[in-house]
């Protein structure tokens, strides 16, 4: 469709209203360079579809006050799913991105792609059964792997050795969910989606980095207001950046000194287990027989356990060094840190 196509113009009007860049007829006319009458027709078309509505406010730029328009959330719903290390998150949201219901499902079968996708789809079905109207318009999915955004398949990682055995390369998430849910589907990495979420906050700058710390460390990059995915879809994969040449720090990729080998939750847990096996005095030794987790290490550090404090600060220092380099070459206005498990506060200090 050409820029003169009425529906292209309606789409642009919706984008301006949704982002808050322009919400009155005069503002939209200035932003799109469309005539006032054309803007009125495009807003009317969007209103007839239930996509926009008057907010009840008016805004003046010195003359007659103009009506302010806002996105209407009641025309449809979006189902979203996210794959995490030991659980799944599934939610239903309206078109204004207001969450209707959010569910967390324990899950330890990440190696089984179809079973994982089916479990997410089943939970989406359950949410839609509870909230049957309005109808489902689309599905969004976040996975723990780089994603070829054009095809909806998970992409090659930074190095072949870092390919997750749980998510073999080339699995077609988009095709699977399109067939299962019968709606349009968007798939991206969790890191990119976190960056995208941070970028739509009211005070978000155009240039930011969102860092995700979980089993591994990843990041998403927003440049000039848009996600930067890179030529091969792996932009932001900082987990295999070398932070220190240390032959004792062997990463899952087989190399020494990667960021993940210091700050991934698996590395935190390995350091704690080594300290216990070496006979160091630590409250962590009382946790067995259940498996030790990074959460346990952070909780012990917060309680003053010396061994745990050393482990957490070493990991935070590694993340801080890596991000200092990233900040130097990218020059973001903001760094946002997401952590489900560990390191948020000490890492903030190190950065």
């Amino acid at each position: 469709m050409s820029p003169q196509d009425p529906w292209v113009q309606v789409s642009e009007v919706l984008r301006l209203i949704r982002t808050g860049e322009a919400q009155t007829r005069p503002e939209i006319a200035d932003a799109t360079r469309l005539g006032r009458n054309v803007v009125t027709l495009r807003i009317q078309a969007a209103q007839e579809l239930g996509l926009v509505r008057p907010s009840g406010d008016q805004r003046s730029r010195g003359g007659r006050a103009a009506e302010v328009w806002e996105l209407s959330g009641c025309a449809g719903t979006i189902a979203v799913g996210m794959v995490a290390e030991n659980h799944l998150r599934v939610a239903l949201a309206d078109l204004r991105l207001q969450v209707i219901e959010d569910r967390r499902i324990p899950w330890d079968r990440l190696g089984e792609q179809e079973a994982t996708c089916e479990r997410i789809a089943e939970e989406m079905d359950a949410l839609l059964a509870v909230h049957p109207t309005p109808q489902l318009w689309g599905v969004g999915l976040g996975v723990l792997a780089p994603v070829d955004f054009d095809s909806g398949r998970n992409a090659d990682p930074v190095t072949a050795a870092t390919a997750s055995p749980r998510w073999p390369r080339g699995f077609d998430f988009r095709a699977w969910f399109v067939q299962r849910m019968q709606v349009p589907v968007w798939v991206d990495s969790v890191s990119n989606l976190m960056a995208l979420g941070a970028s739509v906050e009211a005070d978000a700058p155009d240039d930011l980095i969102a860092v995700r710390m979980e089993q591994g460390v990843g990041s998403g990059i927003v440049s000039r207001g848009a996600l930067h995915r890179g030529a091969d879809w792996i932009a932001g994969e900082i987990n295999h950046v070398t932070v220190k040449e240390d032959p004792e720090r062997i990463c899952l990729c087989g190399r020494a000194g990667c960021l993940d080998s210091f700050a991934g939750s698996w590395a935190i847990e390995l350091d704690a287990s080594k300290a216990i096996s070496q006979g160091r005095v630590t409250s962590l030794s009382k946790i067995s027989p259940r498996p030790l987790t990074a959460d346990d290490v952070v909780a012990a550090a917060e309680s003053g356990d010396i061994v745990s404090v050393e482990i957490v600060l070493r990991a935070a220092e590694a993340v801080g060094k890596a991000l200092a380099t990233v900040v130097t070459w990218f020059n973001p206005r903001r760094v946002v840190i997401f952590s489900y498990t560990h390191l948020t506060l000490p890492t903030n200090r190190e950065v």
Side-chain angles (χ1 to χ4, degrees), residues 79-92:
V80 294
M82 186 185 76
V83 179
E85 288 296 336
N86 56 9
H87 68 277
L88 308 172
R89 292 286 295 275
V90 181
L92 197 64

Side-chain angles (χ1 to χ4, degrees), residues 143-147 158 188-196 198 208-214 216-222 227-230 233-241 259-260 319 322-323 326-327 329-330 332 334-338:
V143 300
L144 291 174
V147 172
V158 177
D188 211 334
S189 70
V190 170
S191 297
N192 278 348
L193 293 177
M194 287 181 170
L196 186 63
L208 63 82
I209 295 175
V211 180
R212 174 186 61 83
M213 294 187 297
E214 201 173 17
V217 182
S219 71
I221 301 169
V222 174
L227 271 175
H228 176 69
R229 296 185 173 89
W233 314 102
I234 59 172
E237 291 292 300
I238 62 173
N239 44 338
H240 297 288
V241 170
L259 176 57
D260 263 7
V319 177
L323 287 182
V326 171
V327 166
W329 62 255
F330 178 59
R334 179 178 299 172
V335 175
V336 185
I337 297 176
F338 296 90

Side-chain angles (χ1 to χ4, degrees), residues 243-259:
V243 293
K244 184 179 180 181
E245 292 287 352
D246 186 344
E248 299 296 320
R249 292 276 167 182
I250 303 301
C251 183
L252 297 178
C253 72
R255 299 187 301 177
C258 292
L259 176 57

Side-chain angles (χ1 to χ4, degrees), residues 85 109-114 116 144-146 154-155 157 159-171 173 215 240 252-253:
E85 288 296 336
R109 297 170 60 189
L110 292 183
E112 305 170 43
Q113 295 103 316
E114 293 213 20
T116 299
L144 291 174
N154 55 323
T159 66
T162 63
S164 171
R166 294 165 300 176
W167 293 107
R169 286 167 280 172
F171 185 78
F173 295 100
Q215 181 75 359
H240 297 288
L252 297 178
C253 72

Side-chain angles (χ1 to χ4, degrees), residues 102-118:
D102 179 13
R103 297 182 179 182
R104 186 182 191 277
I105 306 101
W107 189 252
D108 59 1
R109 297 170 60 189
L110 292 183
E112 305 170 43
Q113 295 103 316
E114 293 213 20
T116 299
C117 292
E118 182 60 38

